[in-house]
Amino acid sequence: METITNTMHGRKDRKRKIITLSVLAALIVLVFLISMNTGVIRLSPLEVIKTLFGSGTDKQELVLFEFRLPRIVISLLIGAGLAISGCVMQGISRNELADPGILGINAGAGLMVMLFISFFPSTTAAPVYLLPVLALIGASLTAALICVLAYKKNQGFKPTGLLLTGIAVAAGISAAMIVLTLRLSPEKYQFVATWLAGSIWGSSWKFVLALLPWILVLLPFVMYKAQVMNVLNLGESMATGLGASVTREQLKLLAAAVGLAASCVAVSGGIGFVGLIAPHLSRRLVGAKHQMLLPVTALVGALLVITADTLGRWIIQPSEIPTGIVVAVIGAPYFLYLLSRSRG
């Protein structure tokens, strides 16, 4: 009788998870369609469909294929990448407040990108493909600095210490970036200010091509390590007892998380809180097992960013609100809620 009950419960659980994935995918498609119709130049749903099938005017094709679709695709990639990065960091640190933005990883990547933009044009083809690499260097150096400062002999990494160290390092990097902005020309200052606010500035197909390889390589790698992350969540002693090489696996996953965050920040600017919110919402939906948690987190992150970008372009037309600000309006209160709950 107990076996039958467990089997029925397992079927219901699988059915609920499949429904969750289907609903998230449907919502993404819906917002995708709405986003294609959102902008200063109005395109009706019928005009969008005609343009997609090659029956639109030259102006409609230019607006849809050269401006809106690249930005929408980048929004989806950035959302998935930042969300998975946050999920990995929360998993390996066992800290529910871990996030590439809060820990300073995004700031480190942003500092390197800002240094590059300050001295070189960012619109030519070659620098576009260099940006993720440069961002990775900055993010990696920041992650290494945080690990060195937060590590304590015979104690390892404590979640609270890691979080506070990351916040302090991020504050220092942000101060350095402010000093650097004082040396910029008015044109570059305006660009950097927009970038820091989290505007998806790289809205062309060459930016999609610059970001896509990182997502296609690192996302499957993290998915492949889902079972390892489940083991790591049991604690260091239990994971070691089960045969896991804890330090090695943590470093591999941390490298993947840093790579995802850095490549996304290179084309999106300082969008924060995605890596914090998406994993938490996903755990509420499907539980803590990473085999299902990771794909749901990717979908939630993609939905969050594409929705925020669409709202930012719609609310105060013809101007727009940077995507990072819209996400922060949602994420900051949620972060305070999580912080108060962790203290309690």
Side-chain angles (χ1 to χ4, degrees), residues 95 103 146 149-150 152 157-167:
N95 184 346
L103 291 180
I146 292 170
L149 295 176
K152 291 186 177 180
F157 299 105
K158 288 190 174 182
T160 304
L162 194 66
L163 178 67
L164 294 176
T165 303
I167 291 173

Side-chain angles (χ1 to χ4, degrees), residues 96-97 280 284 331-343:
E96 64 178 10
L97 297 178
H280 278 278
R284 290 178 177 269
Y334 194 70
F335 173 71
L336 294 174
Y337 162 72
L338 291 175
L339 190 62
S340 63
R341 194 180 67 173
S342 65
R343 287 177 176 176

Side-chain angles (χ1 to χ4, degrees), residues 13 51 64 73 96 106 140 147 185 189 193 205 217 242 255 309-310:
D13 188 52
T51 305
L64 190 61
V73 172
E96 64 178 10
N106 289 359
S140 299
C147 288
S185 63
Y189 175 81
W205 289 114
V217 171
L242 292 173
D309 183 57
T310 303

Side-chain angles (χ1 to χ4, degrees), residues 64-74 203-205 208:
L64 190 61
F65 290 112
E66 297 301 324
F67 294 107
R68 290 187 187 170
L69 278 178
R71 181 164 178 162
I72 294 170
V73 172
I74 286 175
S203 54
S204 67
W205 289 114
V208 174

Side-chain angles (χ1 to χ4, degrees), residues 229-241:
M229 293 180 66
N230 290 337
V231 173
L232 292 178
N233 274 349
L234 298 175
E236 186 172 346
S237 58
M238 181 69 75
T240 303

Side-chain angles (χ1 to χ4, degrees), residues 32-198:
F32 191 101
L33 296 173
I34 293 172
S35 188
M36 285 194 296
N37 290 275
T38 302
V40 177
I41 299 175
R42 284 290 185 182
L43 293 179
S44 68
L46 182 59
E47 289 173 336
V48 168
I49 293 172
K50 286 183 177 180
T51 305
L52 288 174
F53 285 96
S55 300
T57 64
D58 291 340
K59 180 180 178 181
Q60 290 169 346
E61 289 182 358
L62 177 67
V63 170
L64 190 61
F65 290 112
E66 297 301 324
F67 294 107
R68 290 187 187 170
L69 278 178
R71 181 164 178 162
I72 294 170
V73 172
I74 286 175
S75 298
L76 293 173
L77 294 176
I78 288 169
L82 290 176
I84 292 294
S85 178
C87 187
V88 170
M89 289 185 179
Q90 290 175 17
I92 62 178
S93 67
R94 299 192 303 280
N95 184 346
E96 64 178 10
L97 297 178
D99 165 76
I102 296 170
L103 291 180
I105 305 300
N106 289 359
L111 177 61
M112 189 63 71
V113 172
M114 183 177 170
L115 286 171
F116 181 76
I117 290 172
S118 299
F119 296 102
F120 294 93
S122 60
T123 55
T124 57
V128 167
Y129 297 104
L130 281 175
L131 286 179
V133 178
L134 293 170
L136 178 62
I137 294 172
S140 299
L141 291 174
T142 303
L145 177 62
I146 292 170
C147 288
V148 169
L149 295 176
Y151 182 81
K152 291 186 177 180
K153 192 175 181 180
N154 300 324
Q155 294 183 13
F157 299 105
K158 288 190 174 182
T160 304
L162 194 66
L163 178 67
L164 294 176
T165 303
I167 291 173
V169 170
I173 292 175
S174 297
M177 293 173 77
I178 291 173
V179 173
L180 283 173
T181 58
L182 300 176
R183 302 174 59 87
L184 297 177
S185 63
E187 295 79 11
K188 288 186 176 180
Y189 175 81
Q190 184 177 3
F191 170 80
V192 168
T194 305
W195 187 89
L196 290 174

Side-chain angles (χ1 to χ4, degrees), residues 196-281:
L196 290 174
S199 175
I200 300 178
W201 63 280
S203 54
S204 67
W205 289 114
K206 63 183 179 182
F207 286 92
V208 174
L209 294 176
L211 177 60
L212 193 60
W214 298 80
I215 301 296
L216 291 180
V217 171
L218 295 176
L219 242 62
F221 173 77
V222 173
M223 301 289 184
Y224 174 72
K225 291 290 184 179
Q227 183 58 40
V228 173
M229 293 180 66
N230 290 337
V231 173
L232 292 178
N233 274 349
L234 298 175
E236 186 172 346
S237 58
M238 181 69 75
T240 303
L242 292 173
S245 179
V246 176
T247 303
R248 184 184 302 171
E249 295 296 342
Q250 284 180 331
L251 288 175
K252 288 180 182 178
L253 288 165
L254 178 61
V258 169
L260 284 170
S263 57
C264 291
V265 167
V267 297
S268 72
I271 298 179
F273 295 111
V274 177
L276 177 72
I277 299 172
H280 278 278
L281 293 179

